[in-house]
Every structure is written in structure tokens, then in C-alpha cells.
Amino acid sequence: MRHLAERLRRIGSLLVVLMTLLVFPIFPRGNLEGSAITSPAPIQQASPTSNYVTTFRLADSNLSLSPVIVYPTPTRVWVLAQNYGQPFYSQILAFTPKPQPRFEVSVSLTGVFVSSSITVDAQSGRIWYGVGKMLAYYDQSTGKNQTVAGFPGGALGYLTVDGRSRVWATLTGANSVGLYDPARPGNTTYRVPTSNSGLQGITATAPDGSIWFAETSVRKLGRLDPNTLSITEYTAPSDVAAPTQLVVDANGVVWYSDHATSDFGSFNPATGEWRKIPVGYCLGDCPVALPNAIALDTNERLWFSEHLRGVIGEYDSVLGLLTEYTIPLPPSNTLQFPATWWTWPGPDSLIWFADLSLREIGYVNSSVPIPLTISSERGASAFQGGQGTLPVTVYHQGQGSVSLGISTTSFDTRNSQITAHAENLSPVAYPVQATAKFTVGWGASLQSRYVTVTVQNGEIAVSIPVKLTVRTAYLTVGVALGLTAIAVFSHRREKRSNREEENAGETNGSSTKTGEDLHSRISFTP
């Protein structure tokens, strides 16, 4: 039954993915409507929580309405929600968690799916969104909606605002990047060199002011130079399947999510180095994680959503430490599966997220102390066809057992290049010394890659990415074959000598050598 339930959960997860991918912006019918009225039904208060996660579920009065995007601000959390039933419509909701959790409808568009994301300009307070080919905003001070510019040739996809309050957007249909500058009426588009690039995420966080975007269909990252307005493309290695969302840190390193695998990674344009890191080890028969939204908080810590696992990940690139928070499922007798599409850091150390399938928003409180700690070597090597081990030290301030395991990149897992093993640790006291184990396939490629060693308690997981170098097994095989040849040759010489001695014995009446003497004479030390 467990395997059947897991298969059903995977089918449900795939349906969510297909539903998400098939949703494209549609040109609006009629005028934009906005009102600061309470949502038709209050949110349900019986939302699940954990030590780290608090959730707020939309009312069951409309089971087709799901939150897609969250954008937290100091005063409220802005939520883009889509109704997938009939009639379909889009809403932008203003959520205030205190004193009483409450959703208010700010924008409602019947027969329309808006752009793939919304974004907020902290300087003007405008909430920007796309409606088909039109760019629009909601003004918090007046409660009015206003369209400002059209982008012929392609509906607006993902949006971002730069430090000058300019709005940038990916235009997937037009294969272009769009720009709207409030100081200069009109719009500008910049065509991407590679056709049918499948434009997705876009960011204006680079320290040099450049605009970076993801070309998912062709496995590239693009950079638009703010001075020359030229576009440079960078092709990812073959094991990067679908770079989808991205963000640039203070050092100019681009971090991306690979939304076709269980990996995230980075690209350093200064050195040309690409890195790919698997998310933490997952207990049981887990679906592919599909990391999606990715962003940096004020401390330069990386946060991302694991779409099909219902997990919010945090990666500290300075410490090389990955922490993952599991979103609790609501209590129910029906089969439920998460679809955590989006996450975004907000004030007060709260990391907000939206879950399409569970129809809820929520936050991770990153200020809550974590009872798990793990230490391990940051580098290791193993031979093709060999066994590998990583000594680790686990610290746990809680009670009960924890699970220790290793995860590998989706490429290594899919091609059976690295196979990881897991075990439960139930020591009398912590800290405990343990060994994480893995097996390297004979056909594993000779290159460095990352594996992630993880310890978890079912609610939270802490991991360390370890750089693993796979070494050739040819030398070992060659030595073994050489020693075997020496043994065979020695054995043949012994057989020939024995026959000569037997012939001599028959002539002279002497005895032949015993099997024990023969074995001792052909033995060798490698």
C-alpha cells in the first residue's frame, strides 16, 4: 500500500507540474478591477505548524484558488493567486498575519491569468504585474490599478525591479527582455541571441547593475550589460538540465535553480566555474525535488523552494552549510502532496512560501535555533568501481534517533555513477562518530562533483556538500591483470618442471613433488 500511495503522490505531483507549465498569460477581457475588500471567506485557522514553520491556508469555499507567488514587505505579504476552475481568474491578495490573519483582494481579473510573477518596488510601493502583453501596477495609496505599457510580440513572464525603479521582464513569446522606465514613457526590448531560448527567471541583484536571466530551453544564462546594452550568453555544462530561476550575490556569483533535477548551483562569470550541488538526502522513495524560486536574504544566505518535496532550503555559501525545513502536511484522511512553487525572504527573519497543492502560504522562522549539527571533510576521492566513506560527527540536542545519508546529483543518480547508502543513528549520547557510505560505478566519469552528506530528524535536515573526485581504475586493473599473468606464467613453468621431474623420477626412481609444494612455489607477493 505504501508503494501505491507513493505512485499516486508522484502522479499528483506531475499533474501539478503540467498544470503549472500550461498556464500562460492571456490578454485581459475588460478593465482591471481592484478593491480593498475582505476575501469572501476567512482563512482556516486549523493550519499545521511545526517548530520552524507556520502556515495559513486559503478557505475551502473555493478549492480551485491556489497561491502561486508571495512577495513579503514590512507591512504585508502580497500574494498572486490563480483560480484553475471555471471561470478562471487571477487575484492579487494583501495578507496581514496579525492581529488576526486576513486576506484582502486588491486585484481581481476574470478570464485572465496574469504574468508568472509579481514584484514590489520598495521606493514607490507599487505592486507590478503583467496582464498579457500589458504591464500594470497596483497603487497601495489610492487602491487603483493602472496599465502603463504594452510589449507587442510576447506576454510578460517574470518581473524584477532594479535600484532605479525600472521594471524588467522576460518576454518568452518574443524571446526578448523587456524594460519599462517610469521616468521615460514607453518601453524597450532587447532580443536574446539564441532563438526559442525559453526565457524564465530574471534578476537585478548583480553588484555591477547588470541584468541576468535564465534561458531554460537551451541551458544558458544570459547577461544584459547596463552600459552597452549588449547580451552575453553562458552555456551550462551538460549535467545542468533546466536553469530556471536565478539570483546574483554580492561577489557577482550567479546562483540558479535546476528545475528538472534535485540540484541547485552557481556560476562564476569571472572564472567560468560552474558548480552543481544536490539537495539534502531524503528519507524514503522521494520525488525529484525540482528546486524553483531562489533568492538571497539580507545576510547573503541563499533560499530556495523544493517544488515537489514541500521543503524550503537555506544555503550558507560562506559556511558551506545546507539547512532544509520540511513543510508539515495538513491533518487529513485524503492523499495529499506538496507543490511548493515559490519562496521569498521577508523581514524579521521570516522566509515566506506559497504551496499550489496545499493551497496555503506560510513562513519559515529562520531565527529558531537548530538542534542538529554535522561536521565532515569537505573533500574526498574514490576509485571507479570502489567503495567510499566519509567520516562525520553528528551533534543532536534533541531526543531519539536521526538519519544519516548521502545524496548525489540527479545526473549521477540517473546514470548510476554514484550510489549512496543511509542508516539510522540511535546512540546513547551525542556527539556521535559515524560513517556515511557510497559506491562509485565502474562507468563513473572522471571528474570532480559534489555529493551532499545529510543528517535529519524528519522535521529539519542539515547537510554539507562534499567535493568528490573520482579517480581512474585502469591502473588498479592493470596491476591486477599483470599479477594474474605472472601467476599463470609461473604456474605453467611449474607444470613443465614437474613433468620433467616426473620423467626423471621414472628413470631414476625418485618421487614427484606434492600439491602443497607446488602451491608454495607458485605463490607470490604483489
Side-chain angles (χ1 to χ4, degrees), residues 67-395:
V68 182
I69 302 293
V70 287
Y71 201 107
T73 68
T75 57
R76 63 197 68 188
V77 178
W78 295 95
V79 182
L80 170 61
Q82 308 275 24
N83 182 83
Y84 296 104
Q86 290 295 331
F88 61 86
Y89 61 87
S90 301
Q91 290 184 335
I92 295 179
L93 310 174
F95 175 71
T96 51
K98 295 178 180 180
Q100 182 72 15
R102 172 176 168 169
F103 286 101
E104 291 183 342
V105 180
S106 297
V107 180
S108 186
L109 300 169
T110 303
V112 173
F113 283 129
V114 302
S115 54
S116 302
S117 72
I118 59 175
T119 189
V120 180
D121 180 12
Q123 299 182 42
S124 67
R126 293 175 175 178
I127 294 85
W128 290 95
Y129 59 96
V131 187
K133 301 175 183 178
M134 300 296 296
L135 179 65
Y137 68 86
Y138 171 73
D139 191 323
Q140 299 182 59
S141 61
T142 64
K144 300 295 184 180
N145 291 278
Q146 179 69 47
T147 57
V148 295
F151 290 85
L156 280 79
Y158 288 92
L159 311 177
T160 191
V161 176
D162 66 17
R164 297 163 56 185
S165 294
R166 298 181 301 179
V167 183
W168 298 84
T170 50
L171 311 173
T172 304
N175 202 55
S176 301
V177 173
L179 166 64
Y180 171 74
D181 187 346
R184 299 178 180 179
N187 66 77
T188 309
T189 57
Y190 304 93
R191 188 161 186 82
V192 175
T194 302
S195 60
N196 301 316
S197 61
L199 294 172
Q200 290 293 302
I202 187 168
T203 183
T205 58
D208 63 355
S210 59
I211 304 300
W212 286 82
F213 49 90
E215 303 177 40
T216 305
S217 299
V218 293
R219 300 174 25 258
K220 291 182 179 181
L221 301 180
R223 177 184 180 272
L224 194 156
D225 188 290
N227 299 314
T228 65
L229 301 179
S230 61
I231 290 177
T232 304
E233 297 175 300
Y234 302 88
T235 302
S238 59
D239 60 345
V240 177
T244 302
Q245 302 296 332
L246 72 174
V247 67
V248 185
D249 67 20
N251 296 317
V253 176
V254 185
W255 293 89
Y256 64 89
S257 60
D258 191 345
H259 195 242
T261 68
S262 294
D263 314 320
F264 68 101
S266 65
F267 168 66
N268 189 336
T271 63
E273 179 190 17
W274 290 82
R275 291 199 300 164
K276 202 163 192 285
I277 301 172
V279 300
Y281 166 74
C282 180
L283 285 170
D285 188 13
C286 300
V288 179
L290 301 187
N292 187 43
I294 192 165
L296 290 163
D297 65 15
T298 54
N299 295 314
E300 287 286 297
R301 293 176 300 182
L302 192 74
W303 293 88
F304 57 90
S305 60
E306 298 181 24
H307 183 186
L308 293 190
R309 289 189 183 175
V311 170
I312 301 300
E314 173 203 1
Y315 183 64
D316 189 323
S317 61
V318 176
L319 299 178
L321 188 66
L322 172 65
T323 306
E324 292 167 292
Y325 302 83
T326 299
I327 298 171
L329 293 176
S332 174
N333 294 325
T334 61
L335 183 66
Q336 298 183 85
F337 51 86
T340 312
W341 179 252
W342 204 256
T343 189
W344 207 259
D348 303 322
S349 300
L350 303 183
I351 314 302
W352 288 84
F353 61 85
D355 193 291
L356 283 162
S357 176
L358 302 179
R359 304 182 52 254
E360 64 187 18
I361 67 170
Y363 61 79
V364 172
N365 189 342
S366 63
S367 66
V368 177
I370 297 173
L372 280 174
T373 308
I374 184 174
S375 61
S376 175
E377 299 175 354
R378 297 308 177 104
S381 63
F383 287 103
Q384 292 172 319
Q387 300 288 326
T389 59
L390 286 171
V392 299
T393 303
V394 177
Y395 303 84

Side-chain angles (χ1 to χ4, degrees), residues 277-282 320-324 373-380 389-394 403-408 420-423 425 434-438 450-456 461-467:
I277 301 172
V279 300
Y281 166 74
C282 180
L321 188 66
L322 172 65
T323 306
E324 292 167 292
T373 308
I374 184 174
S375 61
S376 175
E377 299 175 354
R378 297 308 177 104
T389 59
L390 286 171
V392 299
T393 303
V394 177
S403 177
L404 174 67
I406 291 179
S407 62
T408 63
H421 311 281
E423 62 176 315
L425 303 179
T435 301
K437 302 174 183 178
F438 60 93
Y450 282 90
V451 299
T452 301
V453 55
T454 303
V455 60
Q456 62 170 288
V462 180
S463 307
I464 294 177
V466 176
K467 191 171 186 178

